[in-house]
Amino acid sequence: MEQRFWEKSSAIVLAAGSGKRMQQTVKKQFISIGGHPLLYYSLKAFSDMGIGSIVLVVAEEDFAYCQKQFAASGTFARPIRLAIGGKERYDSVYAGLQQAEGAEYVFIHDGARPCLERDVLERTAACVEKYKACVAAVPVKDTIKIVDENGFAVETPERSRLWAVQTPQAFQYELVMKAYRKMAMEPKPGLSITDDAMVVEHYSDYSVKIAKGSYHNIKITTTEDLAVARAYLSAFLEE
């Protein structure tokens, strides 16, 4: 991917969550791995690509810490701007999109996915440049069952058609911003938005293309996930 593509792109890294399921005294995005907060690795991955700018979306109570630790630290080659997150994930994304105005493409990434490989970013970039809307994902390895309200299996989807969606999710900026604005003005009752692709799927005429992700690109949700990420990132640091 040409460097010009990255220079006209922006990354939105989401780190406003509370991480309660980790049952840690420190929020998971700030837990130290290899001498750095977990969040550092996502920011570094985008910075190393030469992306135009990074918007870091954080909780209001973490703003001062993140300003000092990331935005004003001089650690990263690319500029980092901060935005205050909202109650729901889509509120945080919308706050980030407003800060990313002027970008041609935008990559939206969970700060709790620190093992973001360059190859995944390159594949996602090539995909969004061609299709305007894409998500990183991997084929599921397990058989999936759909169950009823009583816990009985009622359907087994064809595994070859099932993909586990990750981040980054990348979009042409105007496309995703228009979709978010439409969602704000015309919310659909009963629709639970769990990722950015759903916003584009329901509030635009575009289909979302799958880009091959990585099984390393795990989301840190439990202490077991943290142990896996620590092992992977430790190996990465030793290279």
Side-chain angles (χ1 to χ4, degrees):
M1 183 60 61
E2 295 181 359
Q3 187 55 40
R4 182 178 174 275
F5 171 89
W6 292 106
E7 291 172 354
K8 62 186 181 182
S9 300
S10 183
I12 297 172
V13 178
L14 304 173
S18 60
K20 292 180 180 179
R21 281 178 288 182
M22 288 289 292
Q23 297 182 341
Q24 300 275 338
T25 56
V26 177
K27 291 183 180 180
K28 63 184 177 183
Q29 57 266 42
F30 305 133
I31 293 173
S32 180
I33 296 181
H36 299 286
L38 185 146
L39 181 56
Y40 161 89
Y41 296 97
S42 298
L43 300 173
K44 186 176 187 299
F46 284 109
S47 181
D48 287 351
M49 299 304 294
I51 202 162
S53 66
I54 301 169
V55 179
L56 177 58
V57 186
V58 301
E60 187 172 5
E61 66 266 26
D62 299 323
F63 189 93
Y65 168 80
C66 291
Q67 177 67 30
K68 180 180 179 181
Q69 184 72 32
F70 304 115
S73 67
T75 303
F76 304 98
R78 308 310 298 171
I80 296 177
R81 298 195 294 270
L82 298 185
I84 300 296
K87 180 180 179 181
E88 303 292 343
R89 184 184 190 278
Y90 53 79
D91 296 319
S92 295
V93 172
Y94 187 61
L97 286 170
Q98 291 174 305
Q99 289 278 4
E101 186 176 4
E104 188 167 341
Y105 298 97
V106 62
F107 291 73
I108 303 169
H109 186 65
D110 294 324
R113 291 186 187 270
C115 306
L116 180 56
E117 299 166 334
R118 187 180 186 92
D119 286 352
V120 173
L121 284 170
E122 289 283 7
R123 288 193 293 268
T124 308
C127 185
V128 73
E129 189 174 43
K130 183 175 182 179
Y131 297 102
K132 297 186 179 182
C134 76
V135 299
V138 291
V140 301
K141 296 180 179 181
D142 300 318
T143 296
I144 304 297
K145 297 286 186 182
I146 297 176
V147 302
D148 63 18
E149 62 275 9
N150 297 313
F152 289 97
V154 296
E155 186 178 349
T156 305
E158 175 58 45
R159 186 170 60 184
S160 64
R161 299 188 64 186
L162 298 177
W163 289 65
V165 173
Q166 305 176 336
T167 64
Q169 302 193 0
F171 308 93
Q172 183 187 55
Y173 178 84
E174 292 298 331
L175 166 64
V176 69
M177 189 57 155
K178 183 177 179 180
Y180 263 86
R181 286 173 175 157
K182 186 174 182 181
M183 180 180 68
M185 293 185 294
E186 304 172 18
K188 296 181 180 180
L191 178 62
S192 177
I193 298 294
T194 57
D195 73 345
D196 311 296
M198 284 187 68
V199 179
V200 171
E201 289 161 5
H202 286 275
Y203 294 96
S204 83
D205 296 326
Y206 281 83
S207 297
V208 178
K209 179 73 171 177
I210 296 296
K212 186 69 178 294
S214 168
Y215 291 108
H216 288 150
N217 188 23
I218 63 171
K219 186 175 182 180
I220 309 303
T221 304
T222 66
T223 53
E224 291 80 9
D225 298 329
L226 185 62
V228 173
R230 194 183 301 274
Y232 177 73
L233 290 172
S234 295
F236 169 77
L237 292 170
E238 291 172 0
E239 292 180 355

